[in-house]
Amino acid sequence: MKFLIIAALAAVAAAVPQGYGAPPPRYASSEEIAILRDDRVIEDDGRYNFDMETANGIVVSESGSPDGPEGAITSAGSFSYTAPDGTPVSLQFVADENGFQPQGAHLPVAPEFPHPIPQFVLDQIAFAAEEDARNAKRPSATYGAPQ
């Protein structure tokens, strides 16, 4: 019995992933990147802005103020960097009562709406409308009412 318990503990210990909690190897780097610019301003009334740039080409800019409903912070900004494959990435955003609204050439674009509705769907909608009209003409039974 003791042997089974020891064997089970050894199996569990061997099954623990190596480097558990460590970042994936492609992000593991001891290279330090210099911060070229880091300007931050925070006002007493809740307004803020910051600009930051690093030596490897990351640029971040954001500003905000308590202009939203009930004093919620609305903000706008941008960031840019070069993707690992060499593609430049740039994103602009607004964050307000309508949520986070990013814009960038690299983001997927939803299909244009209204898109064409297939005929079989239109036929099904028409059939359901006819069925609803037929059911509306029938007297409905009232359950539980005295007769």
Side-chain angles (χ1 to χ4, degrees), residues 14-134:
V16 172
Q18 300 301 311
Y20 183 73
R26 73 178 211 194
Y27 296 114
S29 172
S30 61
E31 180 184 3
E32 292 185 19
I33 308 299
I35 296 176
L36 304 177
R37 183 170 44 106
D38 187 358
D39 300 324
R40 299 168 190 257
V41 177
I42 301 173
E43 303 290 342
D44 291 337
D45 63 359
R47 292 178 296 137
Y48 72 93
N49 62 48
F50 67 85
D51 295 292
M52 191 265 308
E53 183 176 357
T54 64
N56 63 349
I58 297 171
V59 178
V60 179
S61 179
E62 183 177 332
S63 62
S65 60
D67 296 331
E70 299 179 24
I73 299 290
T74 60
S75 61
S78 64
F79 62 84
S80 61
Y81 63 93
T82 302
D85 67 357
T87 305
V89 176
S90 180
L91 184 125
Q92 296 77 38
F93 68 89
V94 172
D96 58 16
E97 65 272 5
N98 297 316
F100 181 72
Q101 304 153 57
Q103 294 182 351
H106 66 290
L107 297 175
V109 178
E112 190 174 317
F113 194 83
H115 59 296
I117 299 174
Q119 186 59 46
F120 75 91
V121 173
L122 295 173
D123 294 343
Q124 184 63 38
I125 291 170
F127 176 78
E130 291 170 7
E131 193 172 59
D132 287 346
R134 280 193 305 270

